[in-house]
Amino acid sequence: TIEEIRALMDKQDNIRNMSVIAHVDHGKSTLTDSLVAAAGIIAMENAGDQRLTDTRADEQERCITIKSTGISLYYAMEDEDLKDYKGARDG
């Protein structure tokens, strides 16, 4: 629900920002689709073909990313994944 998503976003220690920067036709959309698929939002088989961040008609038509698009993903890590992490964490 929206309330659950809002509660996740309030945990500022769990928020990470990243950018995918590369030359034209070097896999930015494919990488982003793969991250979205890993989060369970789209099927892994569709990663790279979905092009979720190509929101403009000319981007979809030409199959190139022209304008940046922001997305937020939530990923839960298990304690085993964090065994070597020394920083603060909440959640």
Side-chain angles (χ1 to χ4, degrees):
T1 66
I2 297 296
E3 292 80 23
E4 292 171 324
I5 293 171
R6 181 68 248 156
L8 291 173
M9 296 304 287
D10 285 338
K11 294 183 178 181
Q12 293 182 5
D13 290 338
N14 291 2
I15 297 172
R16 298 292 181 265
N17 298 311
M18 63 171 272
S19 296
V20 179
I21 302 170
H23 290 283
V24 172
D25 229 7
H26 277 74
K28 296 177 296 294
S29 295
T30 302
L31 173 61
T32 305
D33 279 2
S34 296
L35 292 171
V36 171
I41 297 169
I42 63 172
M44 194 59 85
E45 304 84 55
N46 294 334
D49 296 327
Q50 197 79 34
R51 304 184 64 87
L52 290 174
T53 55
D54 292 348
T55 56
R56 296 169 28 152
D58 57 344
E59 291 176 318
Q60 295 169 4
E61 199 174 286
R62 297 168 62 188
C63 292
I64 61 170
T65 303
I66 299 169
K67 193 164 174 89
S68 66
T69 304
I71 60 170
S72 293
L73 299 174
Y74 176 76
Y75 183 76
M77 296 183 77
E78 303 298 325
D79 285 338
E80 179 66 22
D81 298 326
L82 298 170
K83 66 181 179 194
D84 296 323
Y85 179 70
K86 303 293 185 230
R89 64 184 174 116
D90 176 26

